[in-house]
Amino acid sequence: GGRKRQPPPPQKQPRATRNDGGPASANSTGGVPVDPKQKRENRKMGKRAKQLESMEKKAQAEDGFFRQCQREAATAQQNKQPNGKQKDREMELFGKQGAQGINFA
């Protein structure tokens, strides 16, 4: 025969997919194909876990702030002047005025 033999066509490389065993992520399955619905559920669970973690941090911060306010209020209550001294102070401030009001004219 007068025909030349042609070399075989080059082998195509398989296309890379999300689950090709590349960089590991929280939802990586190690190269095992996953149903698209399962991928979506995995993403949703990851987002929900992140949201719950954020909510827990916020709750702890609010609880800490509330307890700090309680401590400050308790300290202020302890440092408050006895009732007799407060009355004396009020008399000192407002005793000179008497029964008449302030004349704004």
Side-chain angles (χ1 to χ4, degrees):
R3 266 175 72 176
K4 278 187 158 181
R5 190 170 166 179
Q6 291 188 1
Q11 295 286 330
K12 289 187 175 180
Q13 296 293 325
R15 290 179 59 189
T17 62
R18 286 187 153 194
N19 291 325
D20 65 352
S25 67
N27 297 330
S28 176
T29 59
V32 177
V34 177
D35 174 31
K37 286 185 180 181
Q38 185 63 40
K39 282 185 190 179
R40 183 172 184 258
E41 287 300 314
N42 289 345
R43 282 195 308 268
K44 284 173 64 175
M45 289 185 340
K47 288 179 181 180
R48 180 68 176 149
K50 189 175 179 181
Q51 180 186 30
L52 289 172
E53 182 182 331
S54 177
M55 288 169 54
E56 182 63 27
K57 278 184 182 178
K58 182 178 179 186
Q60 287 178 355
E62 288 177 350
D63 184 58
F65 178 73
F66 174 74
R67 294 191 188 281
Q68 178 186 354
C69 289
Q70 280 184 319
R71 284 191 299 273
E72 289 174 2
T75 302
Q77 187 69 23
Q78 289 173 354
N79 294 338
K80 189 175 178 182
Q81 295 178 353
N83 203 17
K85 285 187 178 179
Q86 187 174 356
K87 291 286 184 194
D88 291 343
R89 181 139 170 85
E90 288 175 6
M91 286 300 294
E92 197 176 303
L93 288 171
F94 304 110
K96 297 175 187 164
Q97 185 176 342
Q100 62 196 25
I102 300 173
N103 184 4
F104 289 102

